[in-house]
Amino acid sequence: MAFKPLHDRVLVRRIEGEDKTKGGLIIPDTAKEKPAEGEIISVGEGARKDSGELIAPSVKAGDRVLFGKWSGTEVKLDGEDLLIMKESDILGIIA
């Protein structure tokens, strides 16, 4: 992909949730919530301190992360729905 986020922003692909519950019930599309889990596609170079020093990002491409339900800006790149968000909107990395 020919897109690189600037500063402390990251490009995230949502990971879709399960279509069934643990009990085997099928969840219709209209009842599904937006997934709050995703995979980092691309990362900016990092934020800058007031002194101009670069703060390296804590995440890298390929990391699976959790983020807030309403985090980020939805964009469509190369026909794929992705999110651009600040690194601070990421709640954690899934090991």
Side-chain angles (χ1 to χ4, degrees):
M1 182 171 295
F3 181 83
K4 178 150 174 79
L6 297 176
H7 309 296
D8 63 338
R9 289 182 173 75
V10 295
L11 185 65
V12 178
R13 176 186 300 125
R14 285 188 196 266
I15 297 175
E16 295 298 324
E18 293 292 322
D19 291 340
K20 290 185 180 181
T21 64
K22 290 183 181 180
L25 297 174
I26 297 174
I27 303 170
D29 289 337
T30 56
K32 287 183 184 177
E33 291 187 15
K34 287 184 175 181
E37 184 178 332
E39 178 185 0
I40 303 286
I41 303 300
S42 183
V43 181
E45 69 273 0
R48 294 212 178 259
K49 294 182 183 180
D50 290 337
S51 64
E53 183 182 343
L54 188 65
I55 302 170
S58 301
V59 294
K60 62 185 181 310
D63 284 348
R64 287 182 58 151
V65 295
L66 289 176
F67 49 86
K69 186 182 279 190
W70 306 108
S71 297
T73 302
E74 294 181 358
V75 295
K76 191 167 202 139
L77 295 172
D78 296 336
E80 187 175 9
D81 291 325
L82 302 171
L83 290 169
I84 298 174
M85 66 181 68
K86 286 189 162 261
E87 184 184 16
S88 59
D89 290 339
I90 295 174
L91 304 174
I93 300 171
I94 301 172

Coordinates of all heavy atoms in Angstrom, one line a residue:
M1 N 0.8 -1.2 0.0 CA 0.0 0.0 0.0 C 0.9 1.2 0.0 O 1.9 1.3 0.7 CB -0.9 0.0 1.2 CG -1.8 1.1 1.3 SD -3.1 0.9 2.6 CE -4.0 -0.5 2.0
A2 N 0.5 2.2 -0.8 CA 1.3 3.4 -0.9 C 0.9 4.5 0.0 O 0.8 5.7 -0.4 CB 1.3 3.9 -2.4
F3 N 0.5 4.2 1.2 CA 0.0 5.3 2.2 C 0.8 5.1 3.4 O 0.9 4.1 4.0 CB -1.5 5.1 2.5 CG -2.0 6.1 3.4 CD1 -2.4 7.4 3.0 CD2 -2.1 5.8 4.8 CE1 -2.9 8.3 3.8 CE2 -2.6 6.8 5.7 CZ -2.9 8.0 5.2
K4 N 1.4 6.3 3.9 CA 2.1 6.3 5.2 C 1.5 7.4 6.0 O 1.5 8.5 5.6 CB 3.6 6.5 4.9 CG 4.4 6.6 6.2 CD 5.8 6.1 6.0 CE 6.6 6.3 7.2 NZ 6.5 5.3 8.2
P5 N 1.0 7.0 7.2 CA 0.5 8.1 8.1 C 1.6 9.0 8.6 O 2.8 8.7 8.7 CB -0.1 7.3 9.3 CG 0.0 5.9 8.9 CD 0.9 5.7 7.8
L6 N 1.2 10.2 8.9 CA 2.2 11.2 9.4 C 2.2 11.2 11.0 O 1.2 10.9 11.6 CB 1.8 12.6 8.9 CG 1.8 12.8 7.4 CD1 1.3 14.2 7.1 CD2 3.2 12.6 6.9
H7 N 3.3 11.7 11.5 CA 3.5 11.9 12.9 C 3.1 10.7 13.8 O 3.7 9.6 13.5 CB 2.8 13.2 13.4 CG 3.0 14.3 12.5 ND1 4.3 14.9 12.4 CD2 2.3 15.0 11.7 CE1 4.3 15.9 11.6 NE2 3.0 16.0 11.1
D8 N 2.2 10.8 14.7 CA 1.9 9.7 15.6 C 0.6 9.0 15.3 O -0.1 8.4 16.1 CB 1.8 10.2 17.1 CG 0.7 11.2 17.3 OD1 0.3 11.8 16.3 OD2 0.3 11.4 18.5
R9 N 0.3 9.0 14.0 CA -0.9 8.3 13.5 C -0.6 6.9 13.0 O 0.5 6.7 12.6 CB -1.6 9.2 12.4 CG -2.2 10.4 13.0 CD -2.9 11.2 12.0 NE -3.7 12.3 12.5 CZ -3.1 13.4 12.9 NH1 -1.8 13.6 12.9 NH2 -3.9 14.4 13.4
V10 N -1.6 6.0 13.0 CA -1.4 4.7 12.6 C -2.6 4.3 11.6 O -3.7 4.9 11.7 CB -1.4 3.7 13.7 CG1 -0.1 3.9 14.6 CG2 -2.6 3.7 14.6
L11 N -2.4 3.4 10.7 CA -3.4 2.9 9.8 C -3.8 1.5 10.3 O -2.9 0.7 10.5 CB -2.8 2.9 8.4 CG -3.8 2.5 7.3 CD1 -4.9 3.5 7.1 CD2 -3.0 2.4 5.9
V12 N -5.1 1.3 10.5 CA -5.6 0.1 11.1 C -6.6 -0.6 10.3 O -7.5 0.1 9.7 CB -6.1 0.4 12.5 CG1 -6.7 -0.9 13.2 CG2 -5.1 1.0 13.4
R13 N -6.5 -1.9 10.1 CA -7.6 -2.7 9.5 C -8.4 -3.4 10.6 O -7.8 -4.1 11.4 CB -7.0 -3.8 8.5 CG -8.0 -4.7 7.9 CD -7.4 -5.8 7.1 NE -6.6 -5.3 6.0 CZ -5.3 -5.6 5.9 NH1 -4.7 -6.5 6.7 NH2 -4.6 -5.1 4.8
R14 N -9.7 -3.2 10.6 CA -10.6 -3.8 11.6 C -10.5 -5.3 11.4 O -10.5 -5.8 10.2 CB -12.0 -3.4 11.5 CG -12.3 -2.0 12.0 CD -13.8 -1.8 12.0 NE -14.1 -0.4 12.2 CZ -14.3 0.2 13.3 NH1 -14.3 -0.5 14.4 NH2 -14.6 1.5 13.4
I15 N -10.5 -6.1 12.5 CA -10.7 -7.5 12.4 C -12.1 -7.9 12.8 O -12.6 -7.5 13.9 CB -9.7 -8.2 13.4 CG1 -8.2 -7.9 13.0 CG2 -9.9 -9.7 13.5 CD1 -7.2 -8.4 13.9
E16 N -12.8 -8.5 11.9 CA -14.2 -8.8 12.1 C -14.4 -9.8 13.2 O -13.6 -10.8 13.3 CB -14.9 -9.3 10.8 CG -14.9 -8.2 9.7 CD -15.7 -7.0 10.1 OE1 -16.8 -7.1 10.8 OE2 -15.3 -5.9 9.7
G17 N -15.5 -9.7 14.0 CA -15.8 -10.6 15.1 C -16.5 -11.8 14.5 O -16.7 -12.0 13.3
E18 N -16.8 -12.7 15.5 CA -17.4 -14.0 15.1 C -18.9 -13.8 14.7 O -19.5 -12.8 15.1 CB -17.4 -14.9 16.4 CG -16.0 -15.3 16.8 CD -15.4 -16.3 15.8 OE1 -16.1 -17.1 15.2 OE2 -14.2 -16.1 15.6
D19 N -19.4 -14.7 13.8 CA -20.7 -14.6 13.3 C -21.7 -15.4 14.2 O -22.9 -15.4 14.1 CB -20.8 -15.2 11.9 CG -20.2 -14.3 10.9 OD1 -20.0 -13.1 11.2 OD2 -19.9 -14.8 9.8
K20 N -21.1 -16.2 15.2 CA -21.9 -17.0 16.1 C -21.5 -16.7 17.5 O -20.4 -16.4 17.8 CB -21.6 -18.5 15.8 CG -22.2 -19.0 14.6 CD -22.0 -20.5 14.5 CE -22.5 -21.1 13.2 NZ -22.3 -22.6 13.1
T21 N -22.4 -16.9 18.4 CA -22.1 -16.8 19.9 C -21.5 -18.2 20.3 O -21.5 -19.1 19.6 CB -23.4 -16.5 20.7 OG1 -24.3 -17.7 20.5 CG2 -24.1 -15.3 20.2
K22 N -21.1 -18.2 21.6 CA -20.5 -19.5 22.1 C -21.6 -20.6 22.1 O -21.3 -21.7 22.1 CB -19.9 -19.2 23.5 CG -18.7 -18.4 23.4 CD -18.1 -18.2 24.8 CE -16.8 -17.4 24.7 NZ -16.2 -17.2 26.0
G23 N -22.8 -20.2 22.3 CA -23.9 -21.1 22.4 C -24.4 -21.6 21.0 O -25.2 -22.5 20.9
G24 N -23.8 -21.0 19.9 CA -24.2 -21.5 18.5 C -25.2 -20.6 17.8 O -25.6 -20.9 16.7
L25 N -25.7 -19.5 18.5 CA -26.6 -18.7 17.8 C -25.9 -17.8 16.8 O -24.8 -17.3 17.0 CB -27.3 -17.7 18.8 CG -28.1 -18.4 19.9 CD1 -28.6 -17.4 20.9 CD2 -29.3 -19.2 19.3
I26 N -26.6 -17.6 15.6 CA -26.0 -16.8 14.5 C -26.4 -15.4 14.8 O -27.6 -15.1 15.0 CB -26.5 -17.3 13.2 CG1 -26.0 -18.7 12.9 CG2 -26.0 -16.4 12.1 CD1 -26.5 -19.4 11.7
I27 N -25.4 -14.5 14.7 CA -25.7 -13.0 14.9 C -25.9 -12.4 13.6 O -25.0 -12.4 12.7 CB -24.5 -12.4 15.6 CG1 -24.2 -13.1 17.0 CG2 -24.8 -10.9 15.8 CD1 -22.9 -12.6 17.6
P28 N -27.1 -11.8 13.3 CA -27.3 -11.1 12.1 C -26.5 -9.8 11.9 O -26.1 -9.3 12.9 CB -28.8 -10.7 12.1 CG -29.2 -10.7 13.5 CD -28.3 -11.7 14.2
D29 N -26.2 -9.4 10.7 CA -25.4 -8.3 10.4 C -25.9 -7.0 11.1 O -25.2 -6.1 11.5 CB -25.2 -8.0 8.9 CG -24.4 -9.0 8.3 OD1 -23.5 -9.7 9.0 OD2 -24.5 -9.2 7.0
T30 N -27.2 -6.9 11.2 CA -27.8 -5.7 11.8 C -27.6 -5.6 13.3 O -27.7 -4.5 13.8 CB -29.4 -5.6 11.5 OG1 -30.0 -6.8 12.0 CG2 -29.6 -5.5 10.0
A31 N -27.3 -6.7 13.9 CA -27.1 -6.7 15.4 C -25.7 -6.7 15.8 O -25.4 -6.6 17.0 CB -27.8 -8.0 16.0
K32 N -24.8 -6.8 14.8 CA -23.4 -6.8 15.1 C -22.9 -5.4 15.5 O -23.3 -4.4 15.0 CB -22.5 -7.3 13.9 CG -22.6 -8.7 13.7 CD -21.7 -9.1 12.5 CE -21.9 -10.5 12.2 NZ -21.0 -10.9 11.0
E33 N -21.9 -5.3 16.4 CA -21.3 -4.1 16.8 C -20.0 -3.9 16.0 O -19.5 -4.9 15.5 CB -20.9 -4.1 18.3 CG -22.1 -4.0 19.2 CD -21.7 -3.8 20.6 OE1 -20.6 -3.4 20.9 OE2 -22.6 -4.0 21.5
K34 N -19.5 -2.7 15.8 CA -18.3 -2.5 15.2 C -17.2 -3.1 16.0 O -17.1 -2.9 17.2 CB -18.0 -1.0 15.0 CG -18.8 -0.3 14.0 CD -18.4 1.2 13.9 CE -19.1 1.9 12.8 NZ -18.7 3.3 12.7
P35 N -16.3 -3.9 15.4 CA -15.2 -4.5 16.1 C -14.2 -3.4 16.7 O -14.0 -2.4 16.0 CB -14.5 -5.4 15.2 CG -15.1 -5.1 13.8 CD -16.3 -4.3 14.0
A36 N -13.7 -3.6 17.9 CA -12.8 -2.7 18.5 C -11.4 -3.3 18.5 O -10.6 -3.0 19.3 CB -13.2 -2.4 19.9
E37 N -11.2 -4.3 17.6 CA -9.9 -4.9 17.4 C -9.4 -4.8 16.0 O -10.2 -4.8 15.1 CB -10.1 -6.4 17.8 CG -8.8 -7.2 17.8 CD -9.1 -8.7 18.2 OE1 -10.0 -8.9 18.9 OE2 -8.3 -9.5 17.8
G38 N -8.1 -4.6 15.8 CA -7.6 -4.4 14.5 C -6.1 -4.8 14.4 O -5.5 -5.1 15.4
E39 N -5.7 -4.7 13.1 CA -4.3 -5.0 12.8 C -3.6 -3.8 12.3 O -4.2 -3.1 11.4 CB -4.2 -6.1 11.8 CG -2.8 -6.5 11.4 CD -2.7 -7.5 10.3 OE1 -3.7 -8.0 9.8 OE2 -1.6 -7.8 9.9
I40 N -2.5 -3.4 12.8 CA -1.8 -2.2 12.3 C -1.2 -2.5 10.9 O -0.5 -3.5 10.7 CB -0.6 -1.8 13.3 CG1 -1.1 -1.6 14.7 CG2 0.2 -0.7 12.8 CD1 -1.8 -0.4 14.9
I41 N -1.5 -1.6 10.0 CA -1.0 -1.8 8.6 C 0.2 -0.9 8.4 O 1.2 -1.4 7.8 CB -2.1 -1.3 7.6 CG1 -3.4 -2.1 7.8 CG2 -1.6 -1.4 6.2 CD1 -3.2 -3.6 7.6
S42 N 0.2 0.3 8.9 CA 1.3 1.2 8.7 C 1.4 2.2 9.9 O 0.3 2.5 10.5 CB 1.1 2.0 7.4 OG 2.1 2.9 7.2
V43 N 2.6 2.7 10.2 CA 2.8 3.6 11.4 C 3.6 4.8 10.9 O 4.5 4.7 10.2 CB 3.6 2.8 12.5 CG1 3.8 3.7 13.7 CG2 2.9 1.5 12.9
G44 N 3.2 5.9 11.5 CA 4.0 7.2 11.2 C 5.3 7.1 12.0 O 5.6 6.2 12.7
E45 N 6.1 8.2 11.7 CA 7.5 8.2 12.3 C 7.5 8.5 13.8 O 8.4 8.3 14.5 CB 8.4 9.2 11.6 CG 8.1 10.6 11.8 CD 7.0 11.1 10.8 OE1 6.6 10.4 9.9 OE2 6.7 12.3 10.9
G46 N 6.3 9.0 14.4 CA 6.2 9.3 15.8 C 6.0 10.8 16.1 O 6.1 11.6 15.2
A47 N 5.6 11.1 17.3 CA 5.4 12.5 17.7 C 6.7 13.2 18.0 O 7.7 12.6 18.1 CB 4.4 12.5 18.9
R48 N 6.6 14.5 18.2 CA 7.7 15.3 18.6 C 7.5 16.0 19.9 O 6.4 16.5 20.1 CB 8.1 16.3 17.5 CG 8.5 15.6 16.2 CD 9.5 16.5 15.4 NE 9.9 15.8 14.2 CZ 11.1 15.2 14.1 NH1 11.9 15.1 15.2 NH2 11.4 14.6 13.0
K49 N 8.5 16.0 20.7 CA 8.5 16.8 21.9 C 8.6 18.3 21.6 O 8.9 18.7 20.4 CB 9.6 16.4 22.9 CG 9.5 15.0 23.4 CD 10.7 14.8 24.3 CE 10.7 13.3 24.8 NZ 11.8 13.1 25.7
D50 N 8.4 19.2 22.6 CA 8.5 20.6 22.3 C 10.0 21.0 21.9 O 10.2 21.9 21.2 CB 8.2 21.4 23.6 CG 6.7 21.3 23.9 OD1 5.9 21.1 22.9 OD2 6.3 21.5 25.0
S51 N 10.9 20.1 22.4 CA 12.3 20.4 22.0 C 12.7 19.9 20.6 O 13.8 20.2 20.1 CB 13.2 19.7 23.0 OG 13.0 18.3 22.9
G52 N 11.7 19.3 19.9 CA 11.9 18.8 18.6 C 12.4 17.3 18.5 O 12.5 16.7 17.5
E53 N 12.6 16.7 19.7 CA 13.1 15.3 19.8 C 12.0 14.4 19.4 O 10.8 14.6 19.8 CB 13.6 15.0 21.2 CG 14.1 13.6 21.4 CD 14.5 13.4 22.8 OE1 14.7 14.4 23.6 OE2 14.7 12.2 23.2
L54 N 12.3 13.4 18.6 CA 11.3 12.4 18.1 C 11.0 11.4 19.1 O 11.9 10.8 19.8 CB 11.8 11.7 16.8 CG 10.9 10.9 16.0 CD1 9.7 11.7 15.5 CD2 11.6 10.1 14.9
I55 N 9.7 11.1 19.4 CA 9.2 10.1 20.3 C 8.8 8.9 19.4 O 7.8 9.0 18.7 CB 8.1 10.5 21.2 CG1 8.4 11.7 22.0 CG2 7.6 9.4 22.1 CD1 7.2 12.4 22.6
A56 N 9.5 7.8 19.5 CA 9.3 6.6 18.6 C 7.9 6.0 19.0 O 7.6 5.9 20.2 CB 10.4 5.6 18.8
P57 N 7.2 5.5 18.0 CA 5.9 4.8 18.3 C 6.1 3.5 19.1 O 7.1 2.8 18.9 CB 5.2 4.6 17.0 CG 6.3 4.8 16.0 CD 7.4 5.6 16.6
S58 N 5.1 3.2 19.9 CA 5.1 1.9 20.7 C 4.6 0.7 19.9 O 4.8 -0.4 20.3 CB 4.3 2.1 22.0 OG 4.8 3.1 22.7
V59 N 3.9 1.0 18.8 CA 3.3 -0.1 18.0 C 4.1 -0.2 16.6 O 4.8 0.7 16.3 CB 1.8 0.1 17.7 CG1 1.1 0.0 19.0 CG2 1.6 1.4 17.0
K60 N 3.9 -1.4 16.0 CA 4.6 -1.6 14.7 C 3.6 -2.3 13.8 O 2.6 -2.8 14.2 CB 5.9 -2.3 14.8 CG 5.7 -3.7 15.4 CD 7.0 -4.4 15.6 CE 6.9 -5.8 16.2 NZ 6.0 -6.0 17.3
A61 N 3.9 -2.3 12.5 CA 3.0 -2.9 11.5 C 2.9 -4.4 11.9 O 3.9 -5.0 12.2 CB 3.6 -2.7 10.1
G62 N 1.7 -4.9 11.8 CA 1.5 -6.4 12.1 C 1.0 -6.6 13.5 O 0.4 -7.7 13.8
D63 N 1.1 -5.6 14.4 CA 0.5 -5.8 15.8 C -1.0 -5.8 15.7 O -1.6 -5.1 15.0 CB 0.9 -4.6 16.7 CG 2.4 -4.6 17.1 OD1 3.0 -5.7 16.9 OD2 2.9 -3.6 17.6
R64 N -1.6 -6.7 16.6 CA -3.0 -6.7 16.8 C -3.3 -5.8 18.0 O -2.7 -6.0 19.1 CB -3.5 -8.1 17.1 CG -3.5 -9.0 15.8 CD -4.0 -10.3 16.0 NE -5.4 -10.3 16.6 CZ -6.3 -11.2 16.4 NH1 -6.0 -12.3 15.7 NH2 -7.5 -11.1 16.9
V65 N -4.2 -4.9 17.9 CA -4.5 -3.9 18.9 C -6.0 -3.8 19.2 O -6.8 -4.2 18.4 CB -4.0 -2.5 18.5 CG1 -2.4 -2.5 18.4 CG2 -4.6 -2.0 17.2
L66 N -6.3 -3.3 20.4 CA -7.6 -2.9 20.8 C -7.7 -1.4 20.8 O -6.8 -0.7 21.2 CB -7.9 -3.4 22.2 CG -8.1 -4.9 22.4 CD1 -8.3 -5.3 23.9 CD2 -9.3 -5.4 21.6
F67 N -8.8 -0.9 20.4 CA -9.0 0.6 20.4 C -10.5 0.9 20.8 O -11.3 0.0 20.8 CB -8.7 1.2 19.0 CG -9.3 0.5 17.9 CD1 -10.6 0.8 17.4 CD2 -8.6 -0.5 17.2 CE1 -11.1 0.2 16.3 CE2 -9.2 -1.2 16.1 CZ -10.5 -0.8 15.7
G68 N -10.7 2.1 21.1 CA -12.1 2.6 21.5 C -13.1 2.4 20.3 O -12.7 2.4 19.2
K69 N -14.3 2.2 20.7 CA -15.4 1.9 19.7 C -15.5 3.0 18.7 O -15.8 2.8 17.5 CB -16.7 1.8 20.5 CG -17.8 1.3 19.6 CD -19.1 1.2 20.4 CE -19.2 -0.1 21.1 NZ -20.5 -0.3 21.7
W70 N -15.4 4.3 19.1 CA -15.5 5.4 18.2 C -14.2 6.1 17.8 O -14.2 7.2 17.4 CB -16.5 6.5 18.8 CG -17.8 5.8 19.2 CD1 -18.2 5.6 20.5 CD2 -18.8 5.3 18.4 NE1 -19.4 5.0 20.5 CE2 -19.8 4.8 19.2 CE3 -19.0 5.2 17.0 CZ2 -21.0 4.2 18.7 CZ3 -20.1 4.6 16.5 CH2 -21.1 4.1 17.3
S71 N -13.1 5.4 18.0 CA -11.8 5.9 17.7 C -11.5 6.0 16.2 O -12.0 5.1 15.4 CB -10.7 5.1 18.3 OG -10.8 5.1 19.7
G72 N -10.8 6.9 15.7 CA -10.3 7.0 14.4 C -11.2 7.6 13.4 O -12.4 7.9 13.6
T73 N -10.7 7.8 12.2 CA -11.4 8.3 11.0 C -11.4 7.2 10.0 O -10.4 6.7 9.6 CB -10.7 9.5 10.5 OG1 -10.6 10.5 11.5 CG2 -11.4 10.1 9.3
E74 N -12.6 6.8 9.5 CA -12.8 5.8 8.5 C -12.4 6.3 7.1 O -12.9 7.4 6.7 CB -14.2 5.3 8.5 CG -14.6 4.6 9.8 CD -16.0 4.0 9.8 OE1 -16.7 4.2 8.8 OE2 -16.3 3.4 10.8
V75 N -11.6 5.6 6.4 CA -11.2 6.0 5.1 C -11.2 4.7 4.2 O -11.2 3.6 4.7 CB -9.7 6.5 5.0 CG1 -9.6 7.8 5.8 CG2 -8.7 5.5 5.6
K76 N -11.3 4.9 2.9 CA -11.3 3.8 1.9 C -10.1 4.0 1.1 O -10.0 4.9 0.3 CB -12.6 3.9 1.1 CG -12.8 2.6 0.3 CD -14.2 2.6 -0.2 CE -14.5 1.1 -0.6 NZ -15.9 0.8 -0.2
L77 N -9.2 3.0 1.2 CA -7.9 3.0 0.4 C -7.8 1.7 -0.4 O -8.0 0.6 0.2 CB -6.7 3.2 1.3 CG -6.6 4.5 2.1 CD1 -5.4 4.4 3.1 CD2 -6.3 5.6 1.1
D78 N -7.6 1.8 -1.7 CA -7.5 0.6 -2.5 C -8.7 -0.3 -2.4 O -8.6 -1.5 -2.4 CB -6.2 -0.2 -2.2 CG -4.9 0.6 -2.5 OD1 -5.0 1.5 -3.3 OD2 -3.9 0.3 -1.9
G79 N -9.9 0.3 -2.2 CA -11.1 -0.5 -2.1 C -11.3 -1.1 -0.8 O -12.2 -2.0 -0.6
E80 N -10.5 -0.8 0.2 CA -10.6 -1.5 1.5 C -10.9 -0.4 2.6 O -10.4 0.7 2.6 CB -9.3 -2.1 1.9 CG -9.3 -2.9 3.1 CD -7.9 -3.7 3.3 OE1 -6.9 -3.4 2.6 OE2 -7.9 -4.5 4.2
D81 N -11.9 -0.7 3.5 CA -12.2 0.2 4.6 C -11.2 0.1 5.7 O -11.0 -1.0 6.3 CB -13.6 -0.1 5.1 CG -14.7 0.2 4.1 OD1 -14.5 1.2 3.4 OD2 -15.7 -0.6 4.1
L82 N -10.5 1.2 6.0 CA -9.5 1.2 7.0 C -9.8 2.4 8.0 O -10.6 3.2 7.8 CB -8.1 1.4 6.4 CG -7.7 0.3 5.4 CD1 -6.5 0.8 4.6 CD2 -7.5 -1.0 6.0
L83 N -9.0 2.5 9.1 CA -9.1 3.5 10.1 C -7.7 4.2 10.2 O -6.7 3.6 10.2 CB -9.5 3.0 11.4 CG -10.8 2.4 11.6 CD1 -10.9 1.7 13.0 CD2 -11.8 3.5 11.6
I84 N -7.8 5.5 10.3 CA -6.6 6.3 10.7 C -6.8 6.9 12.1 O -7.9 7.5 12.3 CB -6.3 7.4 9.7 CG1 -6.0 6.9 8.3 CG2 -5.1 8.3 10.2 CD1 -5.9 7.9 7.2
M85 N -5.9 6.6 13.0 CA -6.1 7.1 14.4 C -4.8 7.5 15.0 O -3.7 7.0 14.5 CB -6.8 6.0 15.2 CG -6.1 4.8 15.5 SD -6.9 3.6 16.5 CE -8.2 3.1 15.4
K86 N -4.8 8.3 16.0 CA -3.6 8.6 16.8 C -3.2 7.4 17.6 O -4.1 6.6 18.0 CB -3.9 9.8 17.7 CG -4.0 11.1 16.9 CD -4.0 12.2 17.9 CE -3.7 13.5 17.2 NZ -2.3 13.9 17.4
E87 N -1.9 7.3 17.8 CA -1.4 6.2 18.6 C -2.0 6.2 20.0 O -2.3 5.1 20.6 CB 0.1 6.2 18.7 CG 0.7 5.1 19.4 CD 2.2 5.1 19.6 OE1 2.7 6.2 19.4 OE2 2.8 4.1 19.9
S88 N -2.4 7.4 20.6 CA -2.9 7.5 21.9 C -4.4 6.9 22.0 O -4.9 6.6 23.1 CB -2.9 8.9 22.4 OG -3.7 9.7 21.5
D89 N -5.0 6.7 20.8 CA -6.4 6.1 20.8 C -6.3 4.6 21.0 O -7.4 4.0 21.2 CB -7.1 6.4 19.5 CG -7.5 7.9 19.4 OD1 -7.6 8.6 20.4 OD2 -7.7 8.3 18.2
I90 N -5.1 4.0 20.9 CA -5.0 2.6 21.0 C -4.9 2.2 22.5 O -4.1 2.8 23.2 CB -3.7 2.1 20.3 CG1 -3.9 2.3 18.8 CG2 -3.4 0.6 20.6 CD1 -2.6 2.0 18.0
L91 N -5.8 1.3 22.9 CA -5.8 0.9 24.3 C -4.8 -0.1 24.7 O -4.3 -0.1 25.8 CB -7.2 0.3 24.6 CG -8.4 1.3 24.3 CD1 -9.7 0.5 24.5 CD2 -8.3 2.5 25.1
G92 N -4.4 -1.0 23.8 CA -3.4 -2.0 24.1 C -3.0 -2.9 22.9 O -3.8 -2.9 22.0
I93 N -2.0 -3.6 23.1 CA -1.5 -4.6 22.1 C -1.9 -6.0 22.6 O -1.7 -6.3 23.7 CB 0.0 -4.5 21.9 CG1 0.4 -3.1 21.4 CG2 0.5 -5.5 20.9 CD1 1.9 -2.9 21.4
I94 N -2.5 -6.8 21.7 CA -2.8 -8.2 22.0 C -1.7 -9.1 21.7 O -1.1 -9.1 20.6 CB -4.1 -8.6 21.2 CG1 -5.3 -7.7 21.5 CG2 -4.4 -10.1 21.5 CD1 -6.4 -8.0 20.6
A95 N -1.2 -9.8 22.7 CA 0.0 -10.6 22.6 C -0.3 -11.9 21.9 O -1.4 -12.4 21.8 CB 0.6 -11.0 23.9

